[in-house]
C-alpha cells in the first residue's frame, strides 16, 4: 500500500488522491488485495483520461467496473451520509456518493468524485463496505 501511495501520481495522473486514502492503503498489507485495488484504479484512470468531460455510469460499466451511486436512504440519513464525507487536497470537505464495488477475500469499495470538468476525479476512500440501512 505504501508503494502505491508514493507512486500514485505516476500511475494515475487523472485520479487525485485525498488524504484519507493514505490511511486506507497503509492498512492493506496483502499484495493480492493491493493488486486488485490497482486494477480497479487503472480502469478508472483509463476512463477519466478518455471520457471527453462527460461522466457516465454506463461507460464505466462497459469497462467492467461495478459502479453505482449511493442510495437515497444513505443520502437522507445524516449519520450514514457523514461516513461519506472526505477531505479534498485543498482542504474542502465533500460528500462522495459514487463508488466502485469489488469482491473476493475482501469486499471493497472505492469512493470517488468526478471533478467539475469530469476529466479527473478525486478518490476519497478505499476500504471495507461502509454502513448502510441494510448493511
Amino acid at each position: 500500500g505504501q508503494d502505491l501511495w508514493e507512486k500514485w501520481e505516476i500511475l494515475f495522473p487523472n485520479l487525485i488522491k485525498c488524504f484519507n486514502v493514505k490511511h486506507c492503503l497503509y492498512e492493506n498489507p496483502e499484495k493480492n488485495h493491493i493488486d486488485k485495488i490497482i486494477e480497479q484504479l487503472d480502469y478508472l484512470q483509463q476512463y477519466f483520461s478518455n471520457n471527453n468531460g462527460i461522466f457516465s455510469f454506463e461507460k464505466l460499466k462497459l469497462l467492467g467496473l461495478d459502479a453505482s451511486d449511493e442510495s437515497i436512504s444513505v443520502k437522507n440519513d445524516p449519520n450514514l451520509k457523514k461516513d461519506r464525507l472526505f477531505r479534498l487536497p485543498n482542504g474542502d470537505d465533500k460528500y462522495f456518493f459514487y463508488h466502485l464495488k469489488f469482491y473476493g477475500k475482501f469486499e471493497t469499495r472505492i469512493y470517488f468524485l468526478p471533478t467539475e470538468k469530469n476529466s479527473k476525479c478525486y478518490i476519497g476512500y478505499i476500504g471495507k463496505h461502509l454502513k448502510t440501512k441494510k448493511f
Side-chain angles (χ1 to χ4, degrees), residues 47 51 54-61 67 118:
Y47 175 79
N51 74 346
I54 301 168
F55 179 75
S56 162
F57 278 114
E58 291 76 27
K59 289 185 180 179
L60 280 177
K61 290 177 183 187
N118 290 319

Side-chain angles (χ1 to χ4, degrees), residues 68-132:
S68 60
D69 195 356
E70 205 54 83
S71 67
I72 296 296
S73 62
V74 167
K75 289 179 179 180
N76 288 337
D77 183 304
N79 291 323
L80 297 175
K81 186 177 176 181
K82 183 178 71 171
D83 290 343
R84 287 138 180 93
L85 185 66
F86 303 111
R87 181 154 290 156
L88 302 179
N90 68 4
D92 291 345
D93 291 329
K94 295 282 185 178
Y95 290 103
F96 284 62
F97 295 121
Y98 297 163
H99 58 279
L100 301 179
K101 303 172 261 198
F102 61 96
Y103 307 92
K105 184 176 179 181
F106 302 99
E107 184 176 339
T108 303
R109 301 291 188 266
I110 297 176
Y111 278 80
F112 65 96
L113 177 69
T115 61
E116 287 183 24
K117 294 182 182 179
N118 290 319
S119 61
K120 293 189 181 231
C121 86
Y122 294 102
I123 305 297
Y125 174 85
I126 301 172
K128 64 182 182 179
H129 192 296
L130 297 175
K131 291 180 185 176
T132 65

